[in-house]
Amino acid sequence: MPEGWAWANLNQVTNIVMGSSPSGNNIYNKPILNCVEFHQGKSHFSEVYVNESKKWTTEITQLIETDAVLMSVRAPVGDVNIINRPIVIGRGIAGLIPQINIKYLFYYLSLEKEGLEQNASGSTFRSITVKGIKKHLIAVPPLNEQTRIIKQINKSLVLVCAIKQNQNELNLISTNLKQKILDISMQGKLIPQNINDEPASILLDKIRAEKQKLFKEGKIKKKDLEEIQPTLDEDNAYYQNIPKSWSLVCLKTIVYILNGDRGKNYPSKEKLSFSGNIPFISAINLKNGLVSKESLKYLNDEQYNLLRSGKIKKDDILFCIRGSLAKNGISKFTKGAIASSLVILRSYNKRLISPLFLLAYCNSTQISSELNKYNNGTAQPNLAASDLSKFVIALPPKMQQHKILRAIYRVNNIVDFIK
């Protein structure tokens, strides 16, 4: 240890004040006469200084009157922030009133979370007592050295903030560039056109033939054979100058749109499980174009068998039509079902219409322009599946779909490498 430095227990360099919670009847959502701001735990901690809690109390159980470092003492243990105004602290917080430089104490303890957690007790609900806080060691330099350290940290933080800002700007540029690449690819402007590619009109004939086959086999209904002619509004800039070999069609023409089961057999939240083999997918599970297993709930066999619709297959595109409108992802599950906020977009034949091309369409500006036509939500965005079927898509020849996807992946990989 450098000359002049010393090890000290926290109770040797701070006055430790453990929080005590007022009764619920004396906690208010707005300030009243003789009240003080109240903090129960770390909910309003920020990077350095504690934000306002929007809670007040007239029952002054444990008051912190001066500048102090607040420490979370229960679930989680060890997070710290600085308070620079009078507050009442509850059982989830301890106040450390420093006898050394407060910023030095804060920065030092910011690095000590793991050590403080080791002094905690409890298997399911970890907490640290005043005894555990007291015995925690801190390296204490002379006061002038504390000041010098803080100045150096502040200089470094300015550089860190600048780096973060630059990184955020780079991330934004990267995101916008990827979106632009996706949009021009869906307009036929990313890759050169090959006059020898079979045109999309022939592809549409093959899709119609496939639908007739599925209808005869009883796998789709007669209404699924009906087609809608694309309706373009006054602003048709997105669809101008698409290649001659492409076709403008409505989504209903090329994909099977399936609603989830919204009847009496729809499973209630409390009857779903967080483990199992049959996923029940909602909008919260759609992340980065995939179905995330985070917070994913599951059906049992009986619940699944009772559902009349909304059953997924591998490579289905899941599309949100309520709440998080247009949020989407591709399913890699061979079995499962969707929540009522989603619909399924399923290729009639994956060799004719690539599911990954559909996914790209669902994330393009083209889909955004279509949403503006049909979104009928007020407080909560809402889209009817029948309106989704009218969405216009610029359909390329089959070979172009795969070339477009490969070009998008190559460009995105370059952008990610630069970032």
Side-chain angles (χ1 to χ4, degrees):
M1 181 173 287
E3 185 178 351
W5 288 53
W7 286 106
N9 292 320
L10 271 175
N11 66 311
Q12 293 177 290
V13 293
T14 69
N15 294 324
I16 302 171
V17 180
M18 299 298 287
S20 177
S21 300
S23 64
N25 293 334
N26 291 324
I27 298 174
Y28 306 92
N29 294 324
K30 60 182 180 179
I32 61 173
L33 186 65
N34 297 324
C35 71
V36 178
E37 184 183 343
F38 171 65
H39 287 258
Q40 180 69 277
K42 61 152 284 182
S43 299
H44 300 280
F45 281 16
S46 68
E47 288 190 6
V48 180
Y49 291 95
V50 182
N51 293 321
E52 188 178 278
S53 69
K54 307 298 183 183
K55 296 288 183 182
W56 289 266
T57 183
T58 53
E59 185 180 343
I60 314 302
T61 50
Q62 196 59 269
L63 181 67
I64 299 292
E65 295 185 84
T66 186
D67 289 358
V69 171
L70 300 187
M71 178 188 294
S72 175
V73 296
R74 51 169 63 186
V77 169
D79 294 88
V80 290
N81 246 209
I82 295 176
I83 189 69
N84 54 5
R85 60 188 182 275
I87 64 167
V88 171
I89 57 173
R91 286 188 294 271
I93 298 178
L96 309 181
I97 301 170
Q99 299 166 20
I100 57 176
N101 187 302
I102 189 170
K103 281 286 189 73
Y104 177 82
L105 178 65
F106 165 73
Y107 286 128
Y108 192 97
L109 292 179
S110 296
L111 302 174
E112 294 289 290
K113 181 175 171 62
E114 185 176 341
L116 288 162
E117 286 177 333
Q118 290 176 357
N119 291 335
S121 58
S123 55
T124 57
F125 190 83
R126 302 285 287 172
S127 63
I128 188 170
T129 63
V130 66
K131 182 179 179 181
I133 298 173
K134 283 181 177 180
K135 70 180 183 181
H136 192 81
L137 288 173
I138 177 172
V140 183
L143 282 174
N144 62 342
E145 181 72 1
Q146 294 175 35
T147 303
R148 190 191 68 77
I149 290 170
I150 294 306
K151 286 182 178 179
Q152 191 60 46
I153 290 174
N154 289 338
K155 287 181 182 179
S156 300
L157 288 177
V158 170
L159 292 175
V160 170
C161 288
I163 292 170
K164 283 184 178 179
Q165 179 64 30
N166 290 337
Q167 185 63 53
N168 290 338
E169 291 175 1
L170 183 58
N171 289 341
L172 180 60
I173 292 170
S174 170
T175 299
N176 290 340
L177 179 57
K178 286 182 178 181
Q179 186 65 57
K180 184 64 176 178
I181 294 299
L182 177 58
D183 290 339
I184 65 173
S185 71
M186 302 302 289
Q187 295 170 310
K189 299 176 182 177
L190 181 62
I191 60 174
Q193 302 298 303
N194 187 338
I195 60 173
N196 295 318
D197 283 343
E198 187 178 75
S201 58
I202 303 298
L203 174 60
L204 286 170
D205 288 339
K206 291 180 178 180
I207 293 170
R208 292 179 183 115
E210 180 70 20
K211 290 166 71 172
Q212 286 289 345
K213 176 175 172 290
L214 292 171
F215 173 67
K216 289 177 181 178
E217 293 172 353
K219 294 180 180 178
I220 63 173
K221 299 178 180 179
K222 188 172 183 179
K223 65 181 180 68
D224 298 315
L225 301 177
E226 299 169 359
E227 294 188 15
I228 306 170
Q229 291 305 309
T231 302
L232 303 181
D233 58 16
E234 295 178 0
D235 182 14
N236 296 328
Y238 198 98
Y239 308 109
Q240 289 177 0
N241 302 319
I242 63 169
K244 291 181 180 180
S245 61
W246 292 40
S247 295
L248 286 181
V249 296
C250 287
L251 202 55
K252 182 180 189 293
T253 302
I254 61 171
V255 299
Y256 190 20
I257 302 175
L258 299 94
N259 274 307
D261 189 336
R262 296 168 190 163
K264 63 180 182 179
N265 295 322
Y266 189 83
S268 58
K269 289 182 180 179
E270 59 271 14
K271 292 183 179 179
L272 296 170
S273 171
F274 279 105
S275 61
N277 297 316
I278 308 175
F280 187 71
I281 302 165
S282 62
I284 195 174
N285 306 120
L286 303 181
K287 295 181 180 179
N288 302 317
L290 295 169
V291 179
S292 170
K293 290 187 177 181
E294 183 180 350
S295 302
L296 184 60
K297 294 185 178 180
Y298 295 85
L299 301 159
N300 58 38
D301 288 328
E302 182 182 0
Q303 291 170 319
Y304 177 79
N305 292 332
L306 285 172
L307 292 175
R308 297 170 300 169
S309 60
K311 295 181 178 180
I312 63 172
K313 295 181 179 180
K314 188 175 184 293
D315 294 329
D316 281 345
I317 305 300
L318 312 182
F319 189 92
C320 186
I321 59 171
R322 289 183 185 82
S324 302
L325 209 57
K327 195 176 182 185
N328 59 77
I330 188 167
S331 169
K332 294 303 177 184
F333 294 101
T334 56
K335 187 177 182 180
I338 55 171
S340 59
S341 60
L342 305 181
V343 293
I344 296 168
L345 306 183
R346 180 177 296 162
S347 286
Y348 285 109
N349 186 317
K350 290 187 281 189
R351 293 190 302 276
L352 300 177
I353 300 292
S354 164
L356 290 175
F357 181 80
L358 284 175
L359 186 68
Y361 166 75
C362 289
N363 288 289
S364 69
T365 303
Q366 189 174 357
I367 202 93
S368 302
S369 65
E370 294 297 311
L371 282 171
N372 291 333
K373 297 180 192 176
Y374 297 105
N375 174 15
N376 59 11
T378 51
Q380 177 167 320
N382 187 38
L383 178 72
S386 58
D387 287 334
L388 179 60
S389 68
K390 302 172 190 174
F391 277 27
V392 179
I393 177 171
L395 182 67
K398 183 175 69 173
M399 292 301 297
Q400 285 276 326
Q401 295 176 36
H402 301 290
K403 291 176 183 177
I404 287 169
L405 291 171
R406 286 196 295 269
I408 291 172
Y409 296 150
R410 281 198 301 269
V411 174
N412 284 351
N413 285 337
I414 293 171
V415 172
D416 288 337
F417 179 77
I418 295 171
K419 186 175 72 170

